[in-house]
């Protein structure tokens, strides 16, 4: 069956043709972050991993920073949120992960450098394999090309004393076995 038989014309984005055929088919050049910018806003779709081991959660921060976040990254066109998460963790830690299940979604609105930000995030409960080197390290520099990011294990009981995004993590880290929850976070 041809495209015209389905009554759906191809969509052109940035000079590339995207054909909707049970999914989006893109060539490698279209593997760009889903990140839209305007004069006033930036929008992105993110995916994030939550992993707990021996009462500690894996977090990241800037080298000289004191604000923490869960590791993850921006979804690329043509990539699922799970594929992004597996790729991002491999890039940042060098280890493979097991994605267990979706636990939270978040619509997040905040301001950064005077510009409003809007993101949609998918949070997954993940595990490392038993032989993963990440499990043996307390703190380490990301293997990604931007080595200004430090990853490390933080005792869950210490979360209440730090600045962390998303802030709901301080409470929800204790409810990982509950149903999928949806959050709307507004900082402006």
């Amino acid at each position: 069956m041809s495209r015209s038989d389905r009554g759906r014309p191809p969509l052109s984005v940035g000079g590339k043709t995207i054909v909707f055929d049970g999914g989006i088919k893109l060539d490698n050049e279209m593997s760009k972050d889903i990140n839209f910018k305007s004069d006033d806003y930036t929008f992105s779709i993110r995916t994030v991993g939550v992993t707990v081991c021996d009462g500690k959660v894996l977090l990241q921060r800037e080298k000289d920073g004191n604000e923490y976040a869960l590791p993850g990254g921006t979804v690329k066109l043509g990539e699922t949120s799970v594929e992004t998460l597996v790729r991002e963790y491999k890039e940042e830690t060098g280890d493979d992960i097991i994605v267990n299940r979706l636990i939270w979604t978040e619509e997040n609105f905040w301001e950064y450098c005077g510009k409003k930000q809007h993101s949609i995030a998918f949070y997954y409960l993940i595990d490392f394999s038993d032989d993963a080197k990440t499990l043996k390290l307390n703190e380490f520099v990301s293997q990604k090309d931007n080595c200004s990011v430090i990853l490390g294990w933080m005792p869950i009981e210490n979360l209440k004393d730090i600045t962390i995004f998303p802030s709901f993590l301080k409470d929800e880290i204790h409810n990982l076995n509950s149903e999928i929850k949806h959050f709307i976070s507004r900082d402006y």
Side-chain angles (χ1 to χ4, degrees):
M1 182 180 263
S2 71
R3 271 181 285 208
S4 60
D5 291 336
R6 281 182 253 146
R8 292 179 292 186
L11 173 66
S12 180
V13 176
K16 300 291 179 186
T17 300
I18 300 173
V19 178
F20 293 90
D21 187 11
I24 299 176
K25 295 184 178 180
L26 303 165
D27 61 31
N28 287 336
E29 259 185 75
M30 288 298 293
S31 293
K32 297 190 176 161
D33 288 348
I34 299 176
N35 193 345
F36 304 102
K37 296 178 181 182
S38 72
D39 291 340
D40 300 325
Y41 276 92
T42 297
F43 172 81
S44 63
I45 299 177
R46 298 186 42 78
T47 187
V48 182
V50 180
T51 185
V52 176
C53 181
D54 297 328
K56 298 177 182 177
V57 61
L58 185 65
L59 301 176
Q60 68 181 34
R61 64 174 173 81
E62 292 292 320
K63 241 181 203 174
D64 298 320
N66 60 0
E67 294 180 346
Y68 293 82
L70 293 161
T74 305
V75 176
K76 293 184 180 295
L77 285 169
E79 191 175 54
T80 68
S81 58
V82 170
E83 290 167 339
T84 298
L85 196 56
V86 169
R87 175 183 51 77
E88 286 285 341
Y89 266 79
K90 185 70 166 182
E91 290 173 359
E92 292 179 11
T93 68
D95 287 324
D96 292 318
I97 60 169
I98 300 158
V99 178
N100 295 314
R101 66 181 185 86
L102 181 67
I103 54 175
W104 308 314
T105 59
E106 179 188 28
E107 297 176 61
N108 192 6
F109 302 86
W110 78 102
E111 199 165 310
Y112 180 74
C113 294
K115 194 169 194 175
K116 291 181 178 177
Q117 309 290 315
H118 176 189
S119 67
I120 296 175
F122 300 94
Y123 293 82
Y124 290 91
L125 187 60
I126 65 166
D127 286 313
F128 287 96
S129 61
D130 290 338
D131 62 344
K133 65 179 176 38
T134 300
L135 295 171
K136 299 173 182 107
L137 301 171
N138 185 43
E139 194 172 79
F140 58 97
V141 176
S142 170
Q143 292 185 12
K144 212 168 180 179
D145 51 3
N146 62 350
C147 292
S148 65
V149 174
I150 303 290
L151 290 103
W153 295 95
M154 172 81 64
I156 290 173
E157 66 268 10
N158 292 2
L159 294 179
K160 65 185 178 323
D161 301 321
I162 64 170
T163 301
I164 188 164
F165 300 100
S167 58
F168 65 77
L169 180 67
K170 292 179 180 187
D171 294 322
E172 294 302 322
I173 196 72
H174 303 287
N175 301 313
L176 296 177
N177 293 323
S178 66
E179 71 281 353
I180 298 170
K181 292 185 179 178
H182 178 76
F183 297 91
I184 298 175
S185 303
R186 281 195 184 272
D187 292 335
Y188 63 80

